[in-house]
């Protein structure tokens, strides 16, 4: 809590909620799941919105709804298809949990309408459960995400990181207590919308804020210092090598193990470059270790850079051929492998770095020359 020397009167919670809800009803974004507030659509949008910019969420949501318009269609889908449609959003466990939850709902008779049952779904935590209950069912449950944490850190001038347990409890309490009767849907969305559009992490648009008069940090000139940052996550740089093995007009790919990073996704074999190795030597070694195949790099197609969680990855990419006589690949680090036509690579879900590699080779005349030779 704030430890500054100034004293503020107790906030008028009713006025705060009225002003915020009125603003949202006039200025809230027209998002596709807000047109009907169907529980299934709200659920999908909330899972997609985790760690994802709203513009991308809308694009993926609309594509998802064309293929999986309801619980039944999602439950009946194969994991590979679900992962392929999710590709690009990252955090693939979310997609797998959506499918598991849909299958669970079918067994239980449909989409749950109680907080306890929603919270029991795979991949649903306290925030998501609160968001589904309040937005889809207008039930008075708080929904505290990073946007809401930031809003309350500024409104109440919290001078310690919001992730501290005391501040988490305080924010949760305030988010619950301020919900106006019968307006949980509007109020919770308004709080999140305020954080997303006005009370932004950098350069908050304070003059446009509908609840500016209640903001303690603004009154103290501290809005740019709130929320107080927590400990920054360490960044780890990783250098790896991979290669597309070409054989009889096809390319070899393999499916990752269920207990590995990116479980269930497809990839080109490869791995970390060890001390003293060149990228070419690394990809040859990795193929031997993972598939028992002897390969030779015939062309360096370039370098791909991407990030996931705390890792910053530099991926060296090659086109490969068999070094000797081709043989059946082993699957020491995968559950299955196969040679596929290049045009079929679009049918499988790949990690972001490998998808970038696919886009590179799909536009490279050298690669198509190898396919036909």
């Amino acid at each position: 809590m704030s430890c500054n020397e100034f004293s503020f009167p107790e906030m008028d919670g009713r006025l705060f909620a009225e002003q915020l809800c009125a603003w949202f009803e006039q200025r809230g974004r027209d998002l596709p799941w807000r047109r009907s507030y169907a529980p299934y659509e709200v659920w999908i949008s909330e899972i997609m919105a985790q760690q994802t910019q709203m513009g991308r969420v809308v694009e993926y949501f609309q594509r998802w709804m064309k293929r999986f318009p309801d619980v039944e269609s999602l439950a009946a889908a194969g994991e590979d298809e679900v992962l392929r449609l999710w590709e690009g959003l990252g955090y693939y466990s979310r997609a797998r949990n959506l499918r598991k939850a849909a299958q669970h709902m079918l067994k239980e008779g449909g989409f749950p309408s109680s907080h306890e049952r929603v919270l029991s779904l795979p991949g649903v935590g306290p925030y998501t459960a609160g968001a589904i209950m309040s937005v889809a069912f207008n039930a008075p449950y708080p929904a505290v995400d990073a946007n809401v944490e930031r809003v309350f850190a500024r409104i109440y001038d919290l001078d310690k990181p919001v992730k501290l347990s005391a501040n988490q409890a305080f924010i949760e309490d305030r988010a619950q207590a301020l919900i106006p009767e019968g307006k949980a849907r509007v109020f919770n969305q308004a709080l999140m919308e305020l954080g997303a559009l006005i009370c932004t992490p950098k350069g908050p648009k304070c003059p446009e804020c509908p609840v500016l008069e209640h903001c303690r940090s603004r009154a103290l000139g501290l809005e740019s210092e709130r929320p107080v940052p927590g400990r920054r996550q360490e960044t780890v740089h990783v250098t790896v090598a991979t290669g597309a093995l070409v054989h009889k007009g096809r390319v070899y790919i393999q499916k990752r193990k269920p207990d590995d990073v990116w479980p269930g996704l497809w990839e080109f074999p490869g791995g970390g470059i060890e001390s003293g190795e060149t990228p070419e030597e690394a990809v040859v070694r990795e193929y031997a270790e993972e598939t028992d195949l002897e390969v030779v790099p015939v062309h360096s197609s370039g370098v791909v850079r991407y990030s996931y969680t705390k890792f910053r990855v530099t991926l060296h990419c090659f086109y490969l051929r068999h070094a000797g006589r081709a043989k059946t690949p082993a699957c020491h680090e995968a559950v299955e492998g196969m040679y596929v036509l290049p045009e079929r690579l679009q049918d499988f879900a790949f990690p972001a770095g490998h998808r970038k590699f696919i886009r590179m080779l799909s536009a490279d005349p050298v690669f198509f020359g190898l396919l036909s030779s």
Side-chain angles (χ1 to χ4, degrees), residues 8-276:
F8 289 90
E10 184 68 24
M11 185 175 76
D12 185 336
R14 174 181 285 185
L15 179 61
F16 175 88
E18 287 176 353
Q19 292 171 328
L20 187 59
C21 289
W23 170 80
F24 177 77
E25 288 170 335
Q26 291 183 348
R27 303 290 182 88
R29 289 171 290 184
D30 179 21
L31 300 174
W33 50 90
R34 287 178 176 168
R35 293 165 194 167
S36 68
Y37 290 114
Y40 173 76
E41 295 187 5
V42 171
W43 171 50
I44 297 298
S45 72
E46 285 296 337
I47 300 298
M48 285 187 170
Q50 296 167 13
Q51 309 291 330
T52 308
Q53 294 293 323
M54 188 55 68
R56 297 196 75 198
V57 172
V58 171
E59 174 190 347
Y60 276 80
F61 176 86
Q62 291 173 329
R63 189 175 71 175
W64 182 278
M65 286 300 157
K66 288 180 180 178
R67 175 59 189 89
F68 306 128
D70 48 36
V71 170
E72 291 77 11
S73 57
L74 176 56
E79 183 179 277
D80 283 347
E81 184 180 11
V82 172
L83 292 176
R84 179 65 187 95
L85 208 59
W86 192 268
E87 186 185 299
L89 287 174
Y91 300 93
Y92 289 89
S93 62
R94 294 181 294 169
R96 280 185 289 273
N97 282 330
L98 283 173
R99 179 171 171 267
K100 290 177 185 176
Q103 293 170 340
H104 174 78
M105 289 180 204
L106 279 190
K107 294 177 182 177
E108 297 296 320
F111 202 99
S113 58
S114 73
H115 184 265
E116 182 181 10
R117 289 185 61 205
V118 169
L119 189 58
S120 73
L121 293 174
V124 172
Y127 159 74
T128 305
I132 292 171
M133 291 305 300
S134 60
V135 176
F137 299 103
N138 199 30
Y141 289 90
V144 177
D145 67 354
N147 286 316
V148 175
E149 289 174 345
R150 185 169 55 257
V151 168
F152 281 133
R154 286 177 174 147
I155 291 290
Y156 290 101
D157 188 39
L158 303 184
D159 62 358
K160 299 241 179 345
V162 293
K163 294 301 182 183
L164 291 179
S165 58
N167 278 343
Q168 287 285 291
F170 173 79
I171 292 171
E172 190 80 15
D173 176 76
R174 292 289 81 206
Q176 175 74 72
L178 289 168
I179 297 173
E181 185 176 356
K183 301 201 75 171
R185 172 182 292 152
V186 174
F187 180 77
N188 281 356
Q189 288 187 103
L191 265 181
M192 292 184 277
E193 197 90 332
L194 185 70
L197 301 182
I198 305 297
C199 197
T200 50
K202 295 181 180 179
K205 305 175 183 69
C206 296
E208 301 176 34
C209 180
V211 291
L212 180 62
E213 66 183 273
H214 306 282
C215 187
R216 297 180 180 182
S217 66
R218 174 66 174 182
L220 296 168
L222 295 173
E223 68 274 11
S224 62
E225 299 176 32
R226 303 288 184 264
V228 175
R231 183 177 178 182
R232 296 190 64 175
Q233 187 179 50
E234 176 190 6
T235 299
V236 179
H237 295 274
V238 181
T239 305
V240 296
T242 191
L245 174 61
V246 177
H247 179 62
K248 294 184 178 180
R250 296 172 183 259
V251 184
Y252 184 74
I253 59 174
Q254 62 182 19
K255 189 175 186 179
R256 298 182 69 91
K257 291 181 177 180
D259 58 351
D260 205 345
V261 180
W262 303 307
L265 270 63
W266 292 79
E267 66 173 359
F268 304 107
I273 299 173
E274 296 182 354
S275 177

Side-chain angles (χ1 to χ4, degrees), residues 241-244 252-254 267-271 283 286-287 290-291 320 354:
T242 191
Y252 184 74
I253 59 174
Q254 62 182 19
E267 66 173 359
F268 304 107
V283 74
E286 287 288 340
Y287 258 84
E290 295 184 19
T291 68
L320 311 170
H354 287 239

Side-chain angles (χ1 to χ4, degrees), residues 282-305:
V283 74
V284 169
R285 174 183 52 76
E286 287 288 340
Y287 258 84
E289 292 175 354
E290 295 184 19
T291 68
D292 289 343
L293 296 178
E294 296 181 13
V295 300
V296 58
V298 294
H299 181 74
S300 173
S301 61
V303 173
V304 167
R305 292 180 173 84

